[in-house]
Amino acid sequence: MKNIFYKLLILVMAPLLMVSCDDNAPLAELNSNASVTANLSNTSIVLEAANADTEALMITWTQPEFGYKAAPSFKILFDNVGDNFSEPETISAGKELQKSLTVAELNAILLKLELEQGTHTDVEVKVIAELGDYHGVESSVIVLNATTYADKLDLSTTWGVVGSATTNGWDGP
């Protein structure tokens, strides 16, 4: 009985071992021509503190065609003209195809780039679509002309402390 069982088992398993996966199944291939096209709602902006909560800039971009359904994450990079994005200010945009920045948000980004306040300055902007850590598609660079406002306390003047706890008392300079 044991011998018949083994022969029956081999008879059932042999056809299963001869069946394999189809080697001609299509694989997902990354489209090397995938691209992102970015647009700015304004290419010249004068930022004012009085409008801090209003929308200053809307950045939109197209979904890259990777050759298969993919869900890239997007980043927006800002940098000074000529710096080649060596130390850019980066904003995460998630999976959306647009990002809106208020006057206060955009001013904070531009001040981190150490732009001179109150003067028209050109800034480069680009969008990157990333698929994991391995592949990213960049848009072409767009130039934004922006004028920032002072958002921080100006500490360039001399400050002094007066009072009974100081060496000059209330007569200090």
Side-chain angles (χ1 to χ4, degrees):
M1 183 74 174
K2 190 176 181 182
N3 206 3
I4 295 173
F5 178 73
Y6 285 128
K7 287 180 183 179
L8 189 59
L9 183 64
I10 290 173
L11 186 63
V12 171
M13 293 300 287
L16 291 177
L17 293 174
M18 290 182 192
V19 176
S20 65
C21 296
D22 185 12
D23 290 337
N24 297 329
L27 299 175
E29 291 185 26
L30 185 64
N31 179 7
S32 60
N33 296 324
S35 64
V36 175
T37 304
N39 294 306
L40 303 178
S41 61
N42 261 332
T43 56
S44 182
I45 299 174
V46 177
L47 303 173
E48 297 175 352
N51 303 329
D53 293 330
T54 61
E55 180 182 293
L57 184 66
M58 174 69 80
I59 305 165
T60 58
W61 53 90
T62 58
Q63 178 77 29
E65 185 57 47
F66 289 111
Y68 59 92
K69 288 188 178 187
S73 58
F74 297 97
K75 294 190 308 188
I76 305 167
L77 279 63
F78 292 85
D79 204 0
N80 293 312
V81 172
D83 285 355
N84 296 323
F85 295 94
S86 58
E87 293 182 23
E89 287 301 316
T90 305
I91 300 173
S92 176
K95 308 279 183 205
E96 301 297 320
L97 295 177
Q98 66 182 10
K99 179 73 173 177
S100 175
L101 298 172
T102 64
V103 170
E105 292 170 334
L106 183 58
N107 192 63
I109 292 166
L110 298 178
L111 288 177
K112 287 180 186 176
L113 292 174
E114 299 177 358
L115 298 183
E116 187 175 337
Q117 300 165 2
T119 61
H120 296 293
T121 309
D122 287 339
V123 176
E124 293 179 334
V125 181
K126 72 178 174 180
V127 175
I128 297 177
E130 292 183 328
L131 288 175
D133 295 333
Y134 303 106
H135 188 72
V137 177
E138 298 181 359
S139 71
S140 58
V141 175
I142 304 171
V143 177
L144 170 68
N145 184 282
T147 304
T148 61
Y149 61 88
D151 192 29
K152 298 180 182 173
L153 184 60
D154 183 12
L155 299 177
S156 62
T157 61
T158 56
W159 282 50
V161 178
V162 295
S164 59
T166 62
T167 54
N168 291 333
W170 289 100
D171 298 327

